[in-house]
């Protein structure tokens, strides 16, 4: 439990807010001595808050990135780092110890030195520079507490120092797709396995079968064990996951496309990318520009991860969307009835590897926890009374499974061929998009694919050895395309496996509905002279294919209750614009129809397992149920009047679909007082428009996620490139960059992505120099 005094700091928080309101902070100018540099570096902050780092070595450039990320986002990266290291309880008390134990369960227990030795020397040196830059900023705030972000003063804690070994130790404890496996097994036990297609149709098409040896009647949610631990105990509204993980099965994704110079207005390639992430807490991207001899790269990075994830170098532009690789399996173990520290494996009994970790606890004695690993991975549930245990097998826990070095390796590459060495360090499943100054553009799927002895990864499997992994394949076993003849390429999380892809090499069956991709493809194919402005317009496109298909189902002779809804929707263009009243009505009717359809087709005994319906499945089934469509229209009309008032002329989708960004710990009153929520604007779009701004969880209509970072790159004429980063570069409410991109993001007004020395200097708002501390590095 947090110290009670932390909830009684209202006056202190008010004082901090008063300071914030009196003026806006800006990056300090002048010269600062820091440890860890080999030579001076210059940091130029432009008027949009983007730091441009000029260094004399590559490692020092990444030092600068670590420093500016810590300057702008220290509490964000520190909280994530502390959580992954399992060191929350030492700062926040005993209620956090169980969360620390879960984090430590997913620590890599192999040879950390061997893991580091896998990484090329130059890449490792640059990541070490990034870590040193973070620590240099931490040293500054330790020396001058006035520089501490407000959270530390309110909570009475200090940031942790970083160590490069921790980047290969912590592997993350996300539930992944284990809950999907459990759902399918439970549906099978009810004899209702076909209903899984209502929730998540398999793409590519595949027949679900119960793995040999799995007793589905014994599968339950308890098999998820500690993965169900729940939220961090700061308060009822505190999210437990990073923004990258705040996605459900219908939402996760991104858009990206490349267009060859032969199809653009300038004759140069264009690369566009808008990664879809959670919206509502910390911004998931921080933009920086790193320059040194042999290095010149700018774009959005994930705070706490060295390197740039989406952006461009002086030679090529790059972007990414989620590909789909099933990188996790849930194994069910049979325990030895005479010794529950052993499990059946390969015809005999094998002993668990046991690790004892000591968790420091603020205000109390340290706690010792016992963590078990089996042959397949960490043990998440151990129940001797039932003779049963479950294990998560994941790519992240394999040797080489850390992704902490991949972005730097990509940033240091010079062309398509050298990127292939960088891809060997990239375990997460990604569509990698590329376009270079020589006019080439390409797509390569990267990520590690587990090699299973048998099985398809769609249900839990026995852990007796029959379904074990034998290793994994990397990008060389995955599809790619270089300079496609049609002159463009796009990905939007659809099934983009090439025709005729071998059945035994399908990496996953969880590809998304193709609506966004099909819209992108229609536009790109129809524009022989595509421009940067065209790409921006497409990124903010709100045309909804499911809405168009739903309009075709409107009854020709509606009931009296549905007639008004039909009249309003019949003249609608199926665009989910924020100013559209018809869009608001459509979303309300769609939800109502989904609820009615689920009630009609899902037996009560499975209602907790099948509680959502895929849009393609809803439209298919609704086509043969006109009475249900009519009833949903009538109910939707009444609900719209309740939510938006009696006058349809005043209805607006944006009035419901609000964009609110609050501190993740705003359930703590003092935090909420010091960090005012960023709100007041509504958005268009939904899950299935190219401008993907989906609904958050629960019964409300608030925006839960979408493309918080957006970029369009004019390859070769770099200063013509544009971007946005919601809500701004800084997490400090006293900074002018706390929310300066919120309104432009709502309006779709992109900002320049200044790159050339002249453009950066002309946009400079502040300059600072970091100097090596006297007496050595």
């Amino acid at each position: 439990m947090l110290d009670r005094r932390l909830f009684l700091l209202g006056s202190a928080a008010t004082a901090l807010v008063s300071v914030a309101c009196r003026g806006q902070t800006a990056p300090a100018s002048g010269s600062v001595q820091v440890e860890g540099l080999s030579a001076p570096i210059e940091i130029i902050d432009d008027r949009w808050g983007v730091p441009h780092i000029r260094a004399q070595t590559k490692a020092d450039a990444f030092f600068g990135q670590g420093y500016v990320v810590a300057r702008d986002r220290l509490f964000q990266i520190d909280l994530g780092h502390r959580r992954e290291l399992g060191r929350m309880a030492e700062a926040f008390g005993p209620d956090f110890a169980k969360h620390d134990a879960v984090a430590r369960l997913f620590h890599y227990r192999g040879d950390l030195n061997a893991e580091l030795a896998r990484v090329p020397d130059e890449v490792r040196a640059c990541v070490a520079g990034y870590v040193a830059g973070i620590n240099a900023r931490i040293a500054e705030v330790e020396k001058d507490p006035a520089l501490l972000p407000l959270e530390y003063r309110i909570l009475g804690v200090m940031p942790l120092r970083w160590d490069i070994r921790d980047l290969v130790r912590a592997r993350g404890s996300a539930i992944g797709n284990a809950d999907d496996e459990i759902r399918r097994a439970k549906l099978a036990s009810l004899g209702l396995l076909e209903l899984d297609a209502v929730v998540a149709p398999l793409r590519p098409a595949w027949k679900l079968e119960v793995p040999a040896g799995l007793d589905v009647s014994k599968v339950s949610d308890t098999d998820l064990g500690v993965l169900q631990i729940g939220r961090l105990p700061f308060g009822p509204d505190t999210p437990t996951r990073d923004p990258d993980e705040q996605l459900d099965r219908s939402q996760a994704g991104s858009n990206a496309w490349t267009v060859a110079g032969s199809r653009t207005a300038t004759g140069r390639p264009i690369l566009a990318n808008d990664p879809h992430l959670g919206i509502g807490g910390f911004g998931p991207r921080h933009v920086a520009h790193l320059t040194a001899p042999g290095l010149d790269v700018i774009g959005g990075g994930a705070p706490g991860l060295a390197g740039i994830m989406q952006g461009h170098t002086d030679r090529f532009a790059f972007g990414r969307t989620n590909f789909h690789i099933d990188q996790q399996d849930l194994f069910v173990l049979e325990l030895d009835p005479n010794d529950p520290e052993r499990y059946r494996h390969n015809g005999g009994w094998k002993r668990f590897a046991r690790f004892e970790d000591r968790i420091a606890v603020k205000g109390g004695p340290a706690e010792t926890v016992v963590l078990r690993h089996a042959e397949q991975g960490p043990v998440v549930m151990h129940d001797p009374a039932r003779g049963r245990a479950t294990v998560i097998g994941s790519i992240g826990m394999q040797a080489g499974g850390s992704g902490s070095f991949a972005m730097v390796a990509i940033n240091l590459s010079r062309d398509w061929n050298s990127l292939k060495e960088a891809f060997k360090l990239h375990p997460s499943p990604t569509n990698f998009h590329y376009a270079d100054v020589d006019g080439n553009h390409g797509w390569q799927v990267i990520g590690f694919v587990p090699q299973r002895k048998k099985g398809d990864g769609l249900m839990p499997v026995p852990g007796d050895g029959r379904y074990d992994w034998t290793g994994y394949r990397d990008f060389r076993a995955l599809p790619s395309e270089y300079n496609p003849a049609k002159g463009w390429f796009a990905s939007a999380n659809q099934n983009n496996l090439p025709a005729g892809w071998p059945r035994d090499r399908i990496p996953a069956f969880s590809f998304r509905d193709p609506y966004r991709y099909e819209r992108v493809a229609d536009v790109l194919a129809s524009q022989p002279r595509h421009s940067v402005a065209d790409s921006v317009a497409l990124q903010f496109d709100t045309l909804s294919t499911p809405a168009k298909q739903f309009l075709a189902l409107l009854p020709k002779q509606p009931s009296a209750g549905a007639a008004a809804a039909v009249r309003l929707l019949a003249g609608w263009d199926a665009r989910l614009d924020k100013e559209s009243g018809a869009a608001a009505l459509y979303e309300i009717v769609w939800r109502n129809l989904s609820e009615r359809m689920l009630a009609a087709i899902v037996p009560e005994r499975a209602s907790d397992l099948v509680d959502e319906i895929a849009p393609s499945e809803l439209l298919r089934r609704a086509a043969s149920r006109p009475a249900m469509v009519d009833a949903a229209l009538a109910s939707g009309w009444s609900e719209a009047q309740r939510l938006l008032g009696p006058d349809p002329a005043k209805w607006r989708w944006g009035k419901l679909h609000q964009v609110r960004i609050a501190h993740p710990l705003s359930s703590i009153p003092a935090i909420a007082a010091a960090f005012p929520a960023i709100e007041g604007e509504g958005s268009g779009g939904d899950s299935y428009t190219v401008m993907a701004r989906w609904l958050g969880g629960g019964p409300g209509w608030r925006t839960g996620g979408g493309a918080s970072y957006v970029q369009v790159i004019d390859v070769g004429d770099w200063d013509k490139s544009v971007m946005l980063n919601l809500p701004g570069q800084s997490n400090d409410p006293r900074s002018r960059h706390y929310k300066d991109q919120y309104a432009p993001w709502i309006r779709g007004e992109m900002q320049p992505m200044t790159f050339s020395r002249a453009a950066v200097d002309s946009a400079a708002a502040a300059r600072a120099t970091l100097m090596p501390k006297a007496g050595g590095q």
Side-chain angles (χ1 to χ4, degrees), residues 460-730:
V461 291
D464 57 13
R466 287 176 290 168
Y467 294 86
D468 284 4
W469 296 359
T470 59
Y472 58 80
R473 295 191 178 114
D474 64 14
F475 75 98
R476 289 167 288 191
L478 293 167
S480 66
E481 194 164 6
Y482 195 65
N483 291 329
K486 64 186 176 184
W488 60 270
F489 188 89
S491 68
N493 319 111
Q494 83 285 5
N495 176 14
N496 56 1
L497 292 171
W501 189 255
R503 299 283 286 179
D504 62 345
R505 288 173 53 198
I506 294 174
F509 301 92
S510 54
F511 292 94
R512 308 304 184 206
D513 280 294
Y515 301 125
R516 286 183 288 113
Y517 170 77
E518 290 170 350
R519 174 59 177 162
V520 170
D522 286 346
V523 171
L524 294 182
S526 67
Q527 292 177 334
R529 291 293 178 262
H530 188 80
S531 68
V532 167
D534 290 330
S535 269
V536 172
L538 184 52
Q539 287 177 326
F540 290 89
D541 185 272
T542 61
L543 184 66
S544 168
T545 298
K548 287 175 64 177
Q549 294 173 352
F550 175 76
L551 293 179
L553 303 180
L554 291 177
K556 303 299 183 184
Q557 295 181 324
S559 66
V566 170
R567 284 195 297 271
L568 180 57
L569 291 173
W572 179 44
D573 61 3
R575 290 185 178 274
L576 296 175
D577 295 331
K578 70 171 185 174
E579 298 300 325
S580 171
L585 175 61
Y586 160 75
E587 292 286 351
I588 294 168
V589 171
W590 181 270
R591 179 180 288 185
N592 187 283
L593 180 61
S594 299
E595 293 169 352
R596 290 174 182 272
M597 189 64 71
L598 287 170
I601 65 176
V602 179
E604 178 62 30
R605 67 185 189 277
S607 60
D608 61 329
L609 298 173
V610 185
D611 58 358
E612 61 182 281
I613 182 168
S616 55
E617 188 71 6
L618 177 62
L619 289 163
R620 183 183 71 82
R621 291 173 180 266
S624 60
R625 292 173 169 84
M628 182 182 292
V629 173
D630 188 280
L633 287 161
S635 294
W637 183 264
S638 297
E639 180 68 2
Q641 289 182 311
R642 185 185 73 81
L643 291 170
L644 295 167
D647 184 0
K650 296 180 180 179
W651 293 355
R652 301 288 183 270
W653 173 221
K655 185 176 179 181
L656 292 177
H657 201 35
Q658 291 285 300
V659 181
R660 185 177 191 271
I661 300 171
H663 196 289
L665 304 189
S666 59
S667 56
I668 300 173
I671 294 286
F675 292 83
I678 302 167
E679 56 189 339
E681 296 281 357
S683 174
D686 71 0
S687 302
Y688 310 108
T689 55
V690 178
M691 188 181 80
R693 297 181 182 175
W694 60 79
L695 298 177
W701 300 94
R702 186 177 294 166
T703 302
S708 52
Y709 174 75
V710 187
Q711 67 175 25
V712 179
I713 310 298
D714 189 337
V715 178
D717 195 357
W718 305 115
D719 288 334
K720 299 289 182 61
S721 304
V722 292
M723 67 179 179
L724 280 171
N725 188 31
L726 179 76
Q729 283 283 94
S730 175

Side-chain angles (χ1 to χ4, degrees), residues 28-39:
S29 298
S31 178
V32 179
Q33 287 193 342
V34 294
E35 292 185 357
L37 276 177
S38 65

Side-chain angles (χ1 to χ4, degrees), residues 97-107 173 226-227 229 371:
K98 62 182 181 180
H99 294 270
D100 287 345
V102 175
R104 296 181 188 210
L105 178 63
F106 286 85
H107 284 183
S173 57
V226 297
L227 296 177
I229 193 171
L371 309 171

Side-chain angles (χ1 to χ4, degrees), residues 208-216 330-332 454-457 459-468:
L208 276 173
E209 295 183 349
V210 176
L214 177 68
D215 185 345
V216 292
L330 184 68
F331 294 87
V332 180
K454 60 184 299 186
D456 53 23
M459 286 195 205
V461 291
D464 57 13
R466 287 176 290 168
Y467 294 86
D468 284 4

Side-chain angles (χ1 to χ4, degrees), residues 53-62 290-297:
I53 299 153
R54 295 173 179 170
Q56 297 178 39
T57 70
K58 296 173 186 176
D60 281 354
F62 285 97
L290 287 62
T291 305
L295 173 71
D296 202 357
V297 61

Side-chain angles (χ1 to χ4, degrees), residues 179-251:
D179 54 343
D180 292 332
E181 295 183 21
I182 293 288
R183 181 189 71 247
R184 295 185 186 109
K186 292 172 70 174
L187 284 171
S189 73
L190 296 173
L192 297 171
L193 188 53
E194 72 280 359
L195 287 181
D196 190 67
V198 172
V199 182
L202 298 182
R203 299 184 180 93
W206 194 257
K207 183 180 179 181
L208 276 173
E209 295 183 349
V210 176
L214 177 68
D215 185 345
V216 292
S217 68
K218 294 182 179 179
V219 175
S220 70
D221 289 343
T222 60
D223 286 330
L224 294 173
V226 297
L227 296 177
Q228 301 182 100
I229 193 171
R231 298 176 179 273
L232 290 167
F234 285 113
D237 297 322
T238 303
T240 58
R241 300 178 181 174
D242 289 328
D244 283 4
E245 297 172 344
Q246 292 172 2
L247 310 167
D248 66 33
R249 66 177 64 90
S250 66
Q251 318 295 4

Side-chain angles (χ1 to χ4, degrees), residues 47-173:
R47 68 186 64 158
W48 301 280
V50 174
H52 302 262
I53 299 153
R54 295 173 179 170
Q56 297 178 39
T57 70
K58 296 173 186 176
D60 281 354
F62 285 97
F63 178 103
Q65 186 194 19
Y67 180 89
V68 296
V69 167
R71 181 197 70 186
D72 296 338
R73 305 283 188 92
L74 180 57
F75 186 77
Q76 177 182 359
I77 66 172
D78 181 46
L79 184 65
H81 193 54
R82 182 181 288 277
R83 183 174 65 250
E84 288 201 349
L85 291 182
R87 296 182 60 181
M88 296 290 287
E90 70 181 57
F92 301 114
D95 284 355
F96 290 80
K98 62 182 181 180
H99 294 270
D100 287 345
V102 175
R104 296 181 188 210
L105 178 63
F106 286 85
H107 284 183
Y108 184 70
R109 301 290 173 166
D111 187 338
L112 296 183
N113 291 328
E115 289 292 280
L116 287 168
R118 289 173 175 265
V119 181
D121 292 345
E122 184 178 50
V123 174
R124 188 170 60 250
C126 289
V127 175
Y130 181 85
V131 168
I134 292 174
N135 286 335
R137 179 60 179 180
I138 291 174
E140 284 185 358
V141 302
E142 289 172 342
K143 184 177 180 180
D144 183 2
L147 297 175
L148 274 170
L150 303 180
E151 295 99 331
Y152 293 100
R153 301 183 226 175
I154 293 170
L155 298 173
V157 297
M158 290 294 288
L160 292 174
R161 292 292 187 106
W162 288 46
D163 186 314
I164 192 172
R165 292 165 61 85
D166 290 333
L167 302 183
V168 296
R169 175 182 288 110
R171 299 295 173 97
S173 57

